[in-house]
Amino acid sequence: MFDLDAYLARIDLPARPTNDAEGLARVQRAHRLAIPFENLDVRLGREIAIDSASVFAKLVTARRGGYCFEHNRLFLDALDAAGFTARPLLARVWLGATAVPPLTHTLSLVTIAGEQWIADPGFGGSYAPVMRLADGETAEAPDGARFMLARDAEHGWVLSRDGDPATTDGRGIGPGWQRQYSFTLDEVHDSDLAMGNWWSSSSPTSRFTNATIVSIILPHGFATLTDRDYRRRAASTDSAAEITDPRVYRMRLSMMFGIDLSAEDVAALDLF
């Protein structure tokens, strides 16, 4: 049984969401404000388990973060417990891609009153709001960025972003609309998610095996820590620094991202 009350407490949502688009948006926003995106366990050589019990234990009970396969497993379980109808989709992340990328991202397709919506609290590159699945649909994120959905003859659907690069993780920067990821509405099975998770956490060409990544959204901004490089945008105020002391890195993880690692774990990340 999914403990919805514990999940809502973890994301600081005081009441159960209504089963409509506004309720869905509130849950996703609260989730991403409270639970960081991070791949620290990948870099520490630990297995990334994406079954419901393991994800709940890590992201809710232990108050850690995770990457997309963990976030969206937890989110889907919460939506189901709250009475929503939702299922997973797989996506290709185009940020920085020079060829067709693999299916290494997952998001959620939610059906509300006969309409389909996409929701995704597990995208680490920026904050994409909940959107109705319709060709040409646009939405504005709280940080001012605009998002657009468009049909694509080859890849199904494409989500694009037009906004300030300061509220991203630094990939896919350029003028105008930038592709974030593409997806189809094909049925996704647990084995498909397991394959994407395995590749993401173990392939020598995966971004997650080559960089230490943490991010979280702020009420009107974004904070990210990639290896030793820290950046933060809060409203119109920017700050950036290279962290050269493991004690400062550990403190920053705790104070900004809510992640408490031991000194031994920080040393094992091999950043200093």
Side-chain angles (χ1 to χ4, degrees):
M1 294 293 292
F2 185 84
D3 189 342
L4 182 59
D5 290 337
Y7 170 77
L8 295 176
R10 171 73 172 101
I11 66 173
D12 298 320
L13 203 62
R16 296 195 175 203
T18 52
N19 293 131
D20 51 25
E22 291 76 16
L24 177 64
R26 280 194 293 273
V27 177
Q28 178 182 290
R29 179 75 174 158
H31 181 121
R32 191 70 173 97
L33 281 165
I35 306 179
F37 181 95
E38 50 113 330
N39 72 326
L40 297 171
D41 280 353
V42 174
R43 300 290 285 163
L44 290 169
R46 297 169 182 164
E47 179 186 1
I48 305 299
I50 58 171
D51 63 280
S52 296
S54 297
V55 168
F56 190 94
K58 180 180 176 182
L59 275 64
V60 177
T61 306
R63 302 186 69 82
R64 280 283 304 276
Y67 65 8
C68 65
F69 292 100
E70 298 168 286
H71 275 278
N72 277 291
R73 176 71 273 158
L74 178 66
F75 189 61
L76 277 170
D77 289 343
L79 292 183
D80 180 66
F84 287 90
T85 299
R87 65 179 178 89
L89 301 176
L90 281 171
R92 305 180 190 276
V93 177
W94 289 91
L95 297 175
T98 57
V100 177
L103 291 166
T104 57
H105 182 61
T106 184
L107 64 150
S108 298
L109 181 70
V110 187
T111 301
I112 300 172
E115 283 193 319
Q116 293 178 314
W117 297 74
I118 62 164
D120 187 1
F123 186 54
S126 62
Y127 181 71
V130 166
M131 296 181 69
R132 187 171 62 94
L133 186 67
D135 192 23
E137 185 80 359
T138 60
E140 184 170 320
D143 60 30
R146 293 185 299 153
F147 286 82
M148 179 173 61
L149 279 168
R151 290 187 182 274
D152 182 86
E154 186 175 0
H155 300 293
W157 292 86
V158 172
L159 178 71
S160 298
R161 178 185 186 273
D162 181 14
D164 193 329
T167 52
T168 72
D169 67 358
R171 295 176 295 159
I173 293 173
W177 292 102
Q178 300 290 317
R179 288 190 299 180
Q180 305 297 289
Y181 54 75
S182 64
F183 59 93
T184 72
L185 304 186
D186 292 347
E187 192 74 23
V188 172
H189 302 280
D190 286 346
S191 56
D192 301 319
L193 296 171
M195 179 62 74
N197 178 57
W198 174 81
W199 193 96
S200 298
S201 62
S202 63
S203 171
T205 59
S206 168
R207 181 169 183 255
F208 299 119
T209 62
N210 286 282
T212 305
I213 303 157
V214 187
S215 72
I216 197 164
I217 66 161
L218 307 175
H220 298 285
F222 194 80
T224 182
L225 180 57
T226 302
D227 292 332
R228 304 193 321 188
D229 295 325
Y230 172 72
R231 290 189 303 109
R232 178 176 179 267
R233 159 65 69 89
S236 59
T237 302
D238 293 328
S239 58
E242 180 186 6
I243 298 176
T244 59
D245 187 326
R247 294 169 298 180
V248 175
Y249 183 91
R250 187 181 176 206
M251 179 181 67
R252 185 70 68 191
L253 276 181
S254 180
M255 294 182 65
M256 176 54 66
F257 302 99
I259 299 172
D260 293 317
L261 288 190
S262 67
E264 292 75 19
D265 280 345
V266 169
L269 292 172
D270 200 26
L271 295 173
F272 303 95

